[in-house]
Amino acid sequence: MSKKDILLSKPSKNPEPKITWKREDEIIVISYPKEFGKIEKWFHNRIGGPDLVRRPLDKYTTLIWELCDGKNTVIEIIDLFDAQFGEEVAPASSRVQKFLEKLLELNLIILK
């Protein structure tokens, strides 16, 4: 996928029902099942622990998450993010890109 294709793609939240999110005060908290490797699963079965990852976002990543609605392109998300926070998040394109890459890596969003 070329850089232009990526900038024109529209990120949206993964519709997988096991991935949930809710607003808590001013931020979004995303929850999703943990992916255990063999050894991790063995330890988890013996010592327990949560089966879900609970990932609270900050005010910056909350806005990006909300804009991942399948309607906004990556470039529009960058522009809206920059307009909202300005110098506070400079360079906006780099911050948005890194967060979107992390969401893709965790399979929390998809690109259309």
Side-chain angles (χ1 to χ4, degrees), residues 18-70:
K18 293 179 181 179
I19 301 170
T20 61
W21 59 277
K22 64 181 177 175
R23 180 172 283 284
E24 291 184 6
D25 299 318
E26 298 296 315
I27 62 166
I28 297 290
V29 178
I30 305 170
S31 299
Y32 54 93
K34 282 187 179 179
E35 299 277 333
F36 293 108
K38 279 185 173 183
I39 295 172
E40 293 170 317
K41 186 68 173 168
W42 184 86
F43 276 110
H44 183 264
N45 289 340
R46 278 144 187 83
I47 61 175
D51 290 333
L52 285 177
V53 174
R54 188 176 181 277
R55 185 176 293 271
L57 306 180
D58 59 22
K59 68 180 182 178
Y60 307 113
T61 53
T62 289
L63 177 64
I64 297 168
W65 176 259
E66 290 174 329
L67 293 172
C68 290
D69 58 5

